[in-house]
Amino acid sequence: MTIASSTQLICFTVLSAVVAIGALGVVLLPNIVYSAFLLGGVFLSVAGLYLLLNASFVAAAQVLVYVGAVNVLILFAIMLVNKTEDLAAIPGLAVRRLLSGAVCAGLFALLLRVAFTTPWATPGPEPVGEEATIRIGEHLFSDYLLPFELASVLLLMAMIGAIVLARRDVMTTDIVTGEPADQGLIEKSRTPLLLEKSN
Amino acid sequence: MVFANPAVVSAGLDLEASFTDLLQGLGLSPGAAHLLWLPLPMLLVLVAAVVGVLVNVWLERKISAAVQQRIGPEYAGALGILQPLADGLKLLFKEDIIPARADGLLFTLGPVLVLVPVILSWLVVPFGQNLLISNVGVGIFLWISLSSIQPIGLLMAGYASNNKYSLLGGLRAAAQSISYEIPLALAVLAVVMMSNSLSTVDIVDQQTGAGILSWNIWRQPVGFAIFWICALAECERLPFDLPEAEEELVAGYQTEYSGMKFALFYLGSYINLVLSALLVSVLYLGGWGFPLPVEWIVNLTGQPIDAPLVQVITATTGIVMTVLKAYLLVFFAILLRWTVPRVRIDQLLDLGWKFLLPIALVNLLVTAGLKLAFPAFFGG
């Protein structure tokens, strides 16, 4: 066994272990902040797996999108609404946990069966390496153009939805007259930086 | 630093080949010799980064003193040149405190997560045609994606400190970092579009030929301004140092940190500043390129370009030019810090989203148009 292949094997083992254990931690840990940070670790390890597959562009994109954007947004959401009080206990928690555990075990068994019965082509196709960036670009502008554009429209819709949910004040009607309020005025009105003392 | 791709520099000096040949001469297998070679360039760059920080701290102290008409450090070594070392030693020997109600694990992990991506980004900084750790194909994109890990470390530090100022500082740092990442990436994209490659070496290569006239700053003046503003914001330098605004937030996410953990933040921010300056010089100021074309000068002396002596001289000029340009930018950053006041958080976000982002998009569009119209000048 050469040095390169043994390094690869060690990296693969460590990364897969981190992905598996980290993912379990994300689901099982009671502290939601730990779960969120662990999720970042899982995303990073998946990027490492992509690197092992010679897909450096996908790995970098994985880090940028999932760690840099998705995970940071999750953390933001948690930290802005996080309350120290404990959640009220849900009735029948043990039964629920048992049921969800059973569903997960079933899914796991199904995946295992698929993994073992599928005739995998080993070794897989030759990795394109650094050419991958060009190949991805070509696909995004030819046969995957429609899914790509649809995804961007979906993201735009999500963004507009988030703005609508976050800024309900913009949509209110005037309470006295019942007419729609002047949108421009509401947009321009800002809470003053120094609030007067009311007492 | 390594002559990374032996195939390209088959003629002339090849440090890696001579080093592995030497070790194989001592009876080691080629694999073992290569394994012994691997950590050397990494260690060299790490040392270069740390020394860069020491120089940076000294410059910051001296220049701020000059701006305020003080003398600055002068007793530790000639002109106070040993002052940064004294600072570092002080931090090393300070007591390492973890607050009683803080989350010990995350508190320790936070500064590490801030520092490691910054150091990893040095992987793609070229000091010469083959003088970089690894000429990876994703090059500059690797830096962008690595720098997006940093906010997680900042959020972690802010949350784990269990202190309202720390949490606010961490949230501000993450918000700022996300907001400015997008115009930054768009500015880089315009440069990448002109050089048809993400690799930092190719980006510099595309700027050689006519010396100072072929540098990207003439073709991308708007991109240069956007990139520099965003880089300052990413480094949390004034006027964008809101995450640690001392009048409002004590010291932001660093409030509860002391000793070596604080030093990690300190180191991280200064390494990041040097790194950003280096990348500005790579992307817009011709990287290792001399203001006059080197080939032209070499031809004037009548020496072959791959003669060992010529190679050593050109490599040295390359390193000197890269560092010189980077430190010129660092000088401007320090001067800015002691000249302009801090912006408010809403001004910061307005600037990022409502000004820099549209401008960066327009810049990208114009670059694409110019590339189609004048492929000879804008990299066809």
Side-chain angles (χ1 to χ4, degrees):
Chain A
M1 190 180 268
T2 62
I3 294 166
S5 64
S6 52
T7 317
Q8 220 165 20
L9 188 70
I10 294 168
C11 288
F12 177 73
T13 320
V14 170
L15 286 172
S16 332
V18 171
V19 169
I21 297 169
L24 281 177
V26 172
V27 183
L28 298 178
L29 280 180
N31 188 340
I32 193 169
V33 177
Y34 281 160
S35 297
F37 281 128
L38 262 183
L39 189 64
V42 172
F43 286 148
L44 276 181
S45 313
V46 172
L49 287 178
Y50 288 147
L51 267 189
L52 278 184
L53 292 170
N54 271 334
S56 48
F57 184 82
V58 182
Q62 160 91 7
V63 172
L64 183 67
V65 174
Y66 284 95
V67 182
V70 173
N71 201 34
V72 169
L73 280 182
I74 291 175
L75 280 168
F76 250 100
I78 290 172
M79 284 183 183
L80 287 178
V81 299
N82 195 19
K83 297 210 178 107
T84 43
E85 70 205 58
D86 288 326
L87 297 171
I90 308 164
L93 197 59
V95 181
R96 283 163 195 260
R97 279 190 176 152
L98 213 64
L99 274 177
S100 49
V103 170
C104 290
L107 207 58
F108 186 61
L110 196 67
L111 282 175
L112 271 186
R113 169 134 183 84
V114 170
F116 281 117
T117 51
T118 310
W120 300 106
T122 49
E126 193 67 22
V128 282
E130 305 291 12
E131 293 291 305
T133 318
I134 299 167
R135 196 76 75 78
I136 291 170
E138 280 169 358
H139 279 301
L140 280 186
F141 281 100
S142 57
D143 45 349
Y144 284 95
L145 184 62
L146 187 66
F148 183 65
E149 293 296 325
L150 277 182
S152 68
V153 172
L154 185 74
L155 283 177
L156 184 68
M157 279 158 63
M159 211 146 71
I160 293 173
I163 292 169
V164 168
L165 284 177
R167 308 241 2 220
R168 293 221 178 122
D169 53 341
V170 180
M171 303 177 33
T172 47
T173 51
D174 197 312
I175 300 169
V176 183
T177 56
E179 287 168 0
D182 188 348
Q183 301 279 325
L185 272 181
I186 296 168
E187 292 260 14
K188 274 175 204 148
S189 76
R190 283 218 174 119
T191 38
L193 287 169
L194 295 170
L195 291 169
E196 283 176 48
K197 282 189 179 168
S198 52
N199 52 355
Chain B
M1 274 167 272
V2 48
F3 284 94
N5 198 342
V8 180
V9 277
S10 52
L13 281 180
D14 187 338
L15 285 184
E16 177 173 5
S18 33
F19 180 81
T20 45
D21 280 351
L22 182 74
L23 283 184
Q24 281 175 47
L26 294 174
L28 281 167
S29 70
H34 183 64
L35 210 63
L36 280 177
W37 163 259
L38 276 179
L40 287 184
M42 301 180 198
L43 272 179
L44 204 59
V45 165
L46 199 61
V47 169
V50 174
V51 171
V53 169
L54 292 182
V55 175
N56 207 334
V57 172
W58 180 75
L59 279 179
E60 179 109 75
R61 283 173 171 276
K62 271 307 202 192
I63 295 172
S64 67
V67 168
Q68 298 171 336
Q69 304 195 336
R70 295 182 283 116
I71 296 172
E74 66 165 347
Y75 291 111
L79 292 172
I81 210 152
L82 294 178
Q83 188 62 43
L85 270 182
D87 287 352
L89 277 178
K90 183 200 82 174
L91 285 172
L92 204 63
F93 286 113
K94 260 181 130 176
E95 189 189 355
D96 184 32
I97 300 168
I98 296 181
R101 299 292 299 277
D103 189 322
L105 183 69
L106 294 184
F107 191 78
T108 313
L109 208 57
V112 177
L113 263 185
V114 172
L115 185 62
V116 168
V118 183
I119 291 181
L120 272 182
S121 306
W122 282 70
L123 199 68
V124 295
V125 177
F127 292 91
Q129 180 69 48
N130 296 293
L131 289 170
L132 78 167
I133 298 183
S134 168
N135 184 10
V136 283
V138 287
I140 199 79
F141 186 51
L142 183 79
W143 170 64
I144 292 176
S145 71
L146 278 176
S147 67
S148 74
I149 300 179
Q150 237 190 344
I152 296 215
L154 299 174
L155 280 175
M156 200 180 260
Y159 173 81
S161 300
N162 200 7
N163 173 327
K164 57 178 176 282
Y165 298 121
S166 297
L167 183 62
L168 277 176
L171 285 174
R172 270 190 187 185
Q176 180 173 329
S177 173
I178 294 174
S179 313
Y180 281 78
E181 194 114 303
I182 302 166
L184 184 93
L186 287 175
V188 171
L189 199 58
V191 172
V192 168
M193 205 195 278
M194 293 201 314
S195 52
N196 296 318
S197 170
L198 289 162
S199 149
T200 42
V201 174
D202 290 352
I203 290 173
V204 177
D205 271 343
Q206 182 257 344
Q207 299 176 62
T208 53
I212 193 167
L213 290 176
S214 54
W215 292 356
N216 268 341
I217 186 168
W218 312 119
R219 285 175 287 184
Q220 286 284 328
V222 181
F224 172 73
I226 295 170
F227 189 90
W228 183 233
I229 293 172
C230 294
L232 283 181
E234 292 270 315
C235 296
E236 289 157 22
R237 296 284 301 185
L238 258 160
F240 306 110
D241 73 334
L242 295 128
E244 45 197 286
E246 49 277 57
E247 295 87 352
E248 310 159 30
L249 294 178
V250 190
Y253 53 85
Q254 306 169 352
T255 306
E256 299 286 353
Y257 283 89
S258 71
M260 209 49 215
K261 292 201 187 90
F262 174 75
L264 289 185
F265 278 127
Y266 198 69
L267 210 59
S269 77
Y270 276 108
I271 293 184
N272 207 359
L273 179 64
V274 179
L275 177 76
S276 301
L278 279 171
L279 283 170
V280 172
S281 74
V282 163
L283 287 171
Y284 295 100
L285 300 178
W288 64 79
F290 198 67
L292 294 171
V294 173
E295 291 77 16
W296 187 69
I297 298 172
V298 172
N299 282 339
L300 221 63
T301 59
Q303 297 279 333
I305 189 97
D306 50 1
L309 183 69
V310 174
Q311 283 226 330
V312 167
I313 291 174
T314 48
T316 316
T317 8
I319 296 173
V320 169
M321 284 320 290
T322 316
V323 172
L324 196 71
K325 287 167 188 169
Y327 273 94
L328 200 65
L329 289 162
V330 168
F331 172 72
F332 279 124
I334 294 172
L335 216 54
L336 264 179
R337 171 169 179 181
W338 298 97
T339 313
V340 291
R342 180 184 302 133
V343 297
R344 273 195 332 255
I345 184 83
D346 60 322
Q347 292 171 332
L348 173 101
L349 293 177
D350 273 1
L351 178 72
W353 290 106
K354 294 185 186 166
F355 182 72
L356 287 180
L357 181 61
I359 296 272
L361 276 172
V362 169
N363 181 48
L364 187 64
L365 203 68
V366 169
T367 309
L370 285 173
K371 183 180 158 125
L372 287 178
F374 308 103
F377 296 105
F378 290 87

